[in-house]
Amino acid sequence: MLSHPASGPNPAWQISIIFVLVTTTTIGAVVGTCGYLVPALAIATKDYFQVDAAFIGYQVTLVFGFGGISSLITGGFVARFGPGRIMQMALLVSAAGCLLYSVPNKIVLTLGSIVIGYSYGMTYPSASVLLTRFGNPERLNFLFSFRQASTALGAVVAGLLGPLLAITWGWQGAFYLMAAVSVVAAIMVHRICPFWDDLTDPDASISPPWAGVRIILNNRPLLMICGIGFGFSAVQVGVLAFLVLFLSEEVGFSLTEGGIALSLINLLGAGSRMAWGWQADKLRNSMQVVAVMGLITAATIAGFSFANADWPQWATFATLSLFGVATFGWSGIVMANIAARADPEKMAETVGGALGFMFSGAWVGPSVGSLVLQLTGSYRYVFGFLFITALIAAFLAVRISLQKS
């Protein structure tokens, strides 16, 4: 049975759920910023290498695709090395990826996308173990939603910082800075590891990458929930991958305005995640909340696909704001549902397997979107694909909602 590493009336502050929540969220935001710099600096990178938009779309695909692979692999290492040590390694890997991505060579840059993606998926199994261990089971939707806000916060920082540094220092400057930040954060995490890794067993067997997937496939409710996560992830990352490019090429936004738009929807997404999670904790069936989000997301994408240079800026920003509020809240609720159904002794493996499905969605969204864009030359067809995907995810949420009622 999992227990706290400190006992008595005054347990160590390092295991306070508030500290654990804020720290894991901050680590996730640092690693997330590194990943979201790729789409945030899409225009600058595209112009530097003289490549088309699809090339950047494939880089985003690699980031989130390898995030899924790393989540599958990392889940099996948590028991032996501890969640704190794994998060520290994620920060160091992220720093290495940023340095590789900043090299002005397309092959090395692509390798950087892979390494950044690998670091991106390493933090989730560890954070899930910590939140489930130290958090209140009745507040899991909120706790996981707060932690998942790190993704949106990372995108906000990338959207604001990336274009600014690209203008002043060149597009590599943002990656140099985040590499340094990641190393400093890794050094700070070292002091926390003894409190988070007290249950680490150096002799624990390392589960194979497919162990978590097998757990998911053998549990129909978990599999359906992962299907929802797959769909929403494809939609969320798919829109973000092409947002700045679409606004620049079709709507007439500048690079800075595109970065502001990217930051706006992610900032609203970060705040709305916690609101959605809080609401989900109040309901007996949190999948009802997810279904509502899916329907709003689909409607918003349908409307945004018709945006053009004739639209007033306020209308574009209003539509994107609604997208940010509706689309980002799913992940914390989905992860909380998975954690609540998982065997506590197999938490990391189960979460890793579930994340494999979700990161696969993050791979499919920009990848299929890039293919559609190459074949049709129109962003409207890309958004059409994402619209259908959002509807399917919403339908699955409705099904689970009805089954639970």
Side-chain angles (χ1 to χ4, degrees):
M1 187 71 178
L2 297 178
S3 59
H4 290 276
S7 58
N10 297 304
W13 57 265
Q14 289 91 342
I15 63 170
S16 163
I17 186 56
I18 296 177
F19 178 79
V20 171
L21 182 60
V22 172
T23 305
T24 55
T25 302
T26 301
I27 294 171
V30 171
V31 177
T33 299
C34 298
Y36 277 102
L37 279 178
V38 176
L41 294 177
I43 298 295
T45 310
K46 180 174 76 76
D47 292 344
Y48 181 89
F49 286 103
Q50 295 296 301
V51 294
D52 58 17
F55 176 81
I56 305 301
Y58 287 126
Q59 299 307 313
V60 178
T61 296
L62 289 174
V63 169
F64 293 100
F66 276 86
I69 293 174
S70 71
S71 67
L72 290 173
I73 297 174
T74 304
F77 284 83
V78 173
R80 176 176 291 190
F81 298 101
R85 193 66 65 194
I86 294 297
M87 298 189 105
Q88 182 184 40
M89 291 304 301
L91 290 164
L92 295 176
V93 173
S94 179
C98 286
L99 293 177
L100 288 171
Y101 197 90
S102 64
V103 175
N105 178 283
K106 287 189 284 188
I107 296 176
V108 179
L109 178 144
T110 301
L111 179 60
S113 298
I114 294 172
V115 176
I116 290 174
Y118 196 89
S119 70
Y120 189 70
M122 291 177 67
T123 62
Y124 289 92
S126 296
S128 298
V129 168
L130 291 169
L131 293 180
T132 306
R133 178 184 179 191
F134 298 122
N136 185 337
E138 297 181 358
R139 294 289 181 265
L140 282 186
N141 284 298
F142 175 77
L143 293 176
F144 275 83
S145 294
F146 191 106
R147 165 59 180 80
Q148 293 299 106
S150 64
T151 303
L153 289 174
V156 169
V157 175
L160 292 176
L161 183 67
L164 178 62
L165 291 179
I167 293 172
T168 56
W169 293 351
W171 62 273
Q172 293 100 328
F175 290 98
Y176 292 146
L177 176 62
M178 288 312 303
V181 171
S182 297
V183 171
V184 172
I187 294 173
M188 296 176 67
V189 169
H190 183 75
R191 297 177 59 87
I192 308 172
C193 288
F195 296 89
W196 288 2
D197 298 344
D198 60 299
L199 298 180
T200 299
D201 181 4
D203 299 321
S205 60
I206 297 176
S207 303
W210 56 84
V213 176
R214 185 179 299 165
I215 292 173
I216 299 297
L217 293 177
N218 290 331
N219 188 311
R220 184 175 177 81
L222 284 178
L223 182 59
M224 291 186 67
I225 294 172
C226 286
I228 295 170
F230 175 92
F232 275 113
S233 184
V235 171
Q236 178 181 324
V237 180
V239 171
L240 294 179
F242 297 101
L243 176 65
V244 176
L245 292 168
F246 173 71
L247 291 174
S248 175
E249 297 178 5
E250 302 289 334
V251 186
F253 274 38
S254 66
L255 176 62
T256 302
E257 290 171 337
I260 292 174
L262 181 65
S263 299
L264 173 65
I265 63 175
N266 281 285
L267 184 61
L268 290 171
S272 66
R273 283 178 198 249
M274 291 174 273
W276 289 114
W278 185 273
Q279 182 63 32
D281 279 329
K282 290 185 175 182
L283 299 178
R284 297 180 61 184
N285 189 340
S286 59
M287 280 295 142
Q288 292 176 354
V289 177
V290 177
V292 170
M293 286 189 288
L295 295 174
I296 297 175
T297 297
T300 305
I301 292 175
F304 184 67
S305 66
F306 291 95
N308 55 55
D310 294 329
W311 275 36
Q313 243 186 28
W314 69 264
T316 302
F317 277 109
T319 306
L320 290 174
S321 297
L322 182 58
F323 176 84
V325 169
T327 306
F328 289 75
W330 66 270
S331 58
I333 300 173
V334 167
M335 292 304 301
N337 273 268
I338 292 169
R341 291 170 169 80
D343 179 351
E345 301 301 324
K346 295 292 182 180
M347 178 67 67
E349 291 89 337
T350 304
V351 170
L355 287 166
F357 284 89
M358 296 175 199
F359 275 107
S360 295
W363 178 85
V364 167
S367 180
V368 174
S370 295
L371 180 61
V372 171
L373 183 60
Q374 284 185 314
L375 292 176
T376 66
S378 172
Y379 287 100
R380 184 166 298 176
Y381 288 100
V382 175
F383 290 126
F385 154 69
L386 297 173
F387 166 76
I388 294 172
T389 305
L391 283 182
I392 294 174
F395 172 74
L396 288 176
V398 169
R399 284 197 59 182
I400 295 179
S401 175
L402 293 176
Q403 289 173 2
K404 289 187 67 178
S405 58

